[in-house]
Amino acid sequence: MTNGYTRDEIEKFEGRLKTDPATGCMEWQGYRLKKSARSRSLPYGNAYFRGKTLLAHRVAMMLHLGHDIPAGKHVLHRCDNPPCCNPAHLFLGDAKINSLDMHAKGRAAHKPRGHAISDTLVRQMAATGLPITTLCELHGREPAAI
């Protein structure tokens, strides 16, 4: 056993990966979720692991960590490539970090509450020296919009 997982489990999983030499992404070669206008899901890999169907990048992180993903944690991609399972391209975050990451990468279904504001207004607000929570209250905005 290596890190709580057997060598066979690790080799079977790694056998379904193909490394892209240009990006370093280790892309899942098995079944992928299909992207559709209705579901908006991205082509994440689906892996059957220890009797369960899991997202392949979550399995990659589990194998890397040597244990299950902690409750409430998401596995996010630095490379923004859904089928990538390279642990160096993955990181753990909670729902809030996942949401901020999606917005930063332009993949959110809708804008943060309050909608984004102009750079000019942000500079004017920053120049006041007031705490961001106070500025948000004054302008009726959510912090994510600023």
Side-chain angles (χ1 to χ4, degrees), residues 47-54 68:
Y48 189 73
F49 187 76
R50 291 194 166 182
K52 297 178 184 174
T53 301
L54 303 169
D68 288 348

Side-chain angles (χ1 to χ4, degrees), residues 7-145:
R7 173 60 40 206
D8 287 345
E9 288 174 321
I10 295 168
E11 288 176 0
K12 183 177 179 181
F13 181 80
E14 289 177 347
R16 304 297 301 266
L17 301 175
K18 181 179 178 184
T19 302
D20 179 338
T23 63
C25 288
M26 299 166 66
E27 294 187 356
W28 179 251
Q29 299 301 299
Y31 178 78
R32 293 185 190 177
L33 299 172
K34 305 292 186 237
K35 184 175 182 174
S36 70
R38 184 172 164 237
S39 71
R40 295 181 189 240
S41 62
L42 296 172
Y44 290 98
N46 254 14
Y48 189 73
F49 187 76
R50 291 194 166 182
K52 297 178 184 174
T53 301
L54 303 169
L55 292 171
H57 65 288
R58 288 183 67 84
V59 174
M61 184 59 89
M62 289 165 48
L63 295 175
H64 176 71
L65 295 173
H67 55 77
D68 288 348
I69 306 298
K73 292 294 182 181
H74 297 250
V75 178
L76 303 124
H77 290 85
R78 287 184 176 91
C79 59
D80 207 28
N81 180 9
C84 181
C85 295
N86 183 341
H89 295 189
L90 305 173
F91 65 101
L92 293 177
D94 58 18
K96 183 174 183 173
I97 297 297
N98 189 32
S99 179
L100 292 171
D101 186 56
M102 287 188 316
H103 278 85
K105 293 174 179 172
R107 288 187 292 100
H110 32 70
K111 294 180 180 179
R113 280 181 273 156
H115 301 288
I117 59 175
S118 72
D119 290 344
T120 303
L121 183 55
V122 170
R123 282 191 212 87
Q124 290 171 350
M125 292 167 72
T128 66
L130 294 171
I132 195 159
T133 52
T134 304
L135 291 169
C136 290
E137 289 172 11
L138 290 171
H139 292 274
R141 304 292 181 153
E142 293 289 325

